[in-house]
Amino acid sequence: MRFLVDSFTAPYMQRALIQLMLLALLTGPISVFVLLRRRSFMADALTHTVFPGVAIAFFVDQSLIIGAAIAALLSVVLLSFGLRVRRVDGDAMLIVLIGGFFSVGVVIVSRGRSFASDLNALLFGKILAVDRADIVATVVIALIVLLAVSVLAKEFITVAFDENAATAWGLPVGRLDLALNLVIALVIVASLKAVGTVLVVALIIVPAAIARVCTERIGPMICISTLAAGIGGWVGLAASYEASIRYDVRLAPGATVVLILTVGFGAAAAISAAFRRRSRAASQRLANV
């Protein structure tokens, strides 16, 4: 297990690890709220609608975070208003916006000479290219997001468990959903360079899915989700380095992190199912005594 430490002697690996640990602190709590509010498809939609902003920023050699942030804010507003169109199904509206935004991004990227490599970097991320400016930007986004969540946590939980009751109590459900969508968008912006626009939704959803099969209490769920995201990032990055450097097997770091998280979900689900079966068997034995 020494590779979990030895893999991080190079400065670029240290920066990548710091970035993933920051993202774990960021995505851990947000992942739980996204899962409880059933906003997984919305998160997936936002990962695609930010793509044109990223593509434009990349094409004009500007900050990807700024480009993604502008596109994210625009897409959140359009999604929030588009879902209120009564004659159009909500899922259909999401698909229309995903297709439109994403195709614009691909068209912009295709204007460049290195189309294939540029598209690959934007879709799947380049965590090893993270620099200090990216880390600072992630810290700022994390502070904003975690502050917003700490202020609105009780309202988010209330709406997630009973939207009708929240409306009856006078909570502004529409505004709370808009705030949650904006938070999701900021998390996506912070995660883009690490895992790209395709895999970022897994970074947002999978940690909470792992936590959900382990517990039903929100506090422990947030802790487990954050811990799972951190372990997945650490182990995935180290495994990618070990395979690529020592065994000449090229593994994309961002995809490896997501794969480790997915394997972790499968393991957690299997252990939870086995534990439930054993508990039921024990209960039946006691009932028969």
Side-chain angles (χ1 to χ4, degrees):
M1 302 297 289
R2 289 183 60 186
F3 79 97
L4 293 175
V5 176
D6 295 342
S7 298
F8 299 101
T9 55
Y12 68 90
M13 287 294 293
Q14 295 171 5
R15 290 193 294 269
L17 181 61
I18 292 172
Q19 178 76 349
L20 287 175
M21 293 303 101
L22 287 172
L23 291 178
L25 293 174
L26 184 58
T27 59
I30 303 306
S31 180
V32 172
F33 289 112
V34 170
L35 189 67
L36 292 177
R37 190 64 181 99
R38 297 176 178 87
R39 281 293 186 268
S40 300
F41 188 40
M42 176 67 74
D44 186 38
L46 288 173
T47 63
H48 290 78
T49 56
V50 301
F51 187 64
V54 176
I56 293 173
F58 182 84
F59 193 71
V60 299
D61 196 24
Q62 296 297 320
S63 172
L64 298 185
I65 291 179
I66 294 177
I70 294 173
L73 293 175
L74 177 61
S75 61
V76 165
V77 173
L78 290 177
L79 285 170
S80 299
F81 283 102
L83 292 176
R84 296 183 181 180
V85 178
R86 295 182 179 179
R87 295 187 178 183
V88 180
D89 179 71
D91 291 341
M93 179 61 68
L94 287 174
I95 295 299
V96 169
L97 291 174
I98 289 173
F101 273 70
F102 198 75
S103 60
V104 169
V106 174
V107 168
I108 293 171
V109 176
S110 66
R111 299 289 296 172
R113 295 182 178 180
S114 54
F115 170 65
S117 61
D118 294 344
L119 186 62
N120 182 71
L122 295 178
L123 292 180
F124 302 109
K126 294 183 67 175
I127 181 62
L128 300 184
V130 167
D131 55 24
R132 291 183 179 180
D134 296 319
I135 293 175
V136 170
T138 303
V139 170
V140 173
I141 292 175
L143 291 175
I144 295 173
V145 168
L146 294 178
L147 177 61
V149 169
S150 64
V151 172
L152 298 174
K154 185 181 297 184
E155 288 79 4
F156 283 160
I157 294 171
T158 302
V159 173
F161 279 101
D162 196 333
E163 182 176 344
N164 294 328
T167 303
W169 292 337
L171 292 178
V173 175
R175 294 179 182 177
L176 288 171
D177 282 342
L178 178 60
L180 181 58
N181 291 340
L182 288 172
V183 166
I184 296 171
L186 288 175
V187 174
I188 291 170
V189 169
S191 307
L192 279 177
K193 197 162 185 178
V195 293
T197 58
V198 171
L199 299 175
V200 66
V201 67
L203 202 62
I204 295 176
I205 302 301
V206 178
I210 295 173
R212 185 66 181 84
V213 299
C214 297
T215 182
E216 295 182 352
R217 299 172 59 188
I218 294 179
M221 197 182 299
I222 291 176
C223 294
I224 294 173
S225 176
T226 304
L227 184 62
I231 293 175
W234 184 11
V235 175
L237 192 59
S240 173
Y241 180 88
E242 183 77 5
S244 301
I245 300 299
R246 300 189 185 278
Y247 299 101
D248 198 25
V249 178
R250 294 178 61 85
L251 297 179
T256 305
V257 169
V258 173
L259 180 60
I260 293 295
L261 286 172
T262 305
V263 171
F265 170 74
I271 293 172
S272 177
F275 181 77
R276 286 197 299 270
R277 287 196 297 269
R278 183 175 297 180
S279 297
R280 285 196 297 267
S283 299
Q284 290 176 356
R285 288 195 298 269
L286 289 175
N288 294 331
V289 172

